[in-house]
Amino acid sequence: MTESLYLSTPVLYREAGFLPRLSQCVADYTPAAVLLRLADDSEKNLCDFIAQVCPVVQGTGSALILEDRPALAQGTGCDGVHLSSAFTGRTIKDVRRLLGDSIQLGVAAGISRDVAMCAGEDGADYILFGEDAPQSAAAIKETQQLISWWSMMMELPAVALVPAPRSMAGFVAAQPDFIMPGTNFWEQQEEWNLSSLV
């Protein structure tokens, strides 16, 4: 099985200077998707920035997924929405109804099998495991075991959030559908071995 790469940006605030770095990474690694994480701002400024990001990501065939802003994603041409563990605006069912079936919906489940299963029942298109999980060796192993179980038992795609390069092999062995490097990827790209994922 070949895992696909799912990149996640740092939390950005009107940072047009980040776009060349993003463009280079998308060209180098051809990720399946990019999760765009934005700091709070006016709706106009957010829309303007998303409009700059869309061609950078979608122009290469990657999907652009917006974090925690379902209505904005729908109105700006994003390919999907990801609900982080901090999202409190609506229920997953409400977001699914808002988006319809044409926009992807991902949900963070931490390391909870129950949360993941409920999210799937409520309309999620994929589950992200590992967000906000403890970084101890035991916790990382628990997350990897959960992903391995999910990948064997469930059809709903699993995304593995890999906190550090040294953990990559264990997460790849768990056979998720997608690998998401931690946001330290942007400061430590040379330490991440992503060649097997693209």
Side-chain angles (χ1 to χ4, degrees), residues 103-156:
I103 296 181
Q104 293 289 304
L105 175 59
V107 176
I111 53 174
S112 172
R113 183 182 302 183
D114 291 340
V115 170
M117 294 179 74
C118 288
E121 292 170 359
D122 288 346
D125 294 305
Y126 72 79
I127 304 297
L128 173 68
F129 291 102
E131 183 174 293
D132 297 330
Q135 299 305 301
S136 66
I140 289 173
K141 185 175 181 180
E142 180 183 354
T143 305
Q144 292 167 346
Q145 290 173 338
L146 174 57
I147 293 169
S148 181
W149 175 86
W150 184 273
S151 297
M152 287 189 294
M153 303 299 294
M154 301 294 178
E155 293 184 4
L156 197 64

Side-chain angles (χ1 to χ4, degrees), residues 11-171:
V11 177
L12 302 174
Y13 180 75
R14 307 185 194 180
E15 295 180 49
F18 180 76
L19 296 182
R21 293 180 64 195
L22 177 60
S23 178
Q24 188 63 56
C25 278
V26 170
D28 288 346
Y29 298 113
T30 59
V34 174
L35 176 61
L36 179 60
R37 304 168 67 225
L38 298 177
D40 290 340
D41 203 343
S42 70
E43 183 169 335
K44 180 183 184 305
N45 288 334
L46 291 171
C47 288
D48 289 347
F49 189 71
I50 294 169
Q52 296 178 63
V53 175
C54 276
V56 172
V57 174
Q58 296 171 330
T60 62
S62 299
L64 180 61
I65 312 296
L66 185 62
E67 185 179 67
D68 289 347
R69 290 182 166 90
L72 199 60
Q74 191 175 41
T76 54
C78 294
D79 301 292
V81 175
H82 174 78
L83 304 183
S84 73
S85 57
F87 181 77
T88 58
R90 301 168 182 255
T91 67
I92 296 170
K93 285 184 178 180
D94 286 342
V95 173
R96 180 78 280 172
R97 282 193 290 267
L98 172 70
L99 298 177
D101 295 327
S102 60
I103 296 181
Q104 293 289 304
L105 175 59
V107 176
I111 53 174
S112 172
R113 183 182 302 183
D114 291 340
V115 170
M117 294 179 74
C118 288
E121 292 170 359
D122 288 346
D125 294 305
Y126 72 79
I127 304 297
L128 173 68
F129 291 102
E131 183 174 293
D132 297 330
Q135 299 305 301
S136 66
I140 289 173
K141 185 175 181 180
E142 180 183 354
T143 305
Q144 292 167 346
Q145 290 173 338
L146 174 57
I147 293 169
S148 181
W149 175 86
W150 184 273
S151 297
M152 287 189 294
M153 303 299 294
M154 301 294 178
E155 293 184 4
L156 197 64
V159 181
L161 178 58
V162 182
R166 64 180 179 276
S167 306
M168 176 68 85
F171 279 99

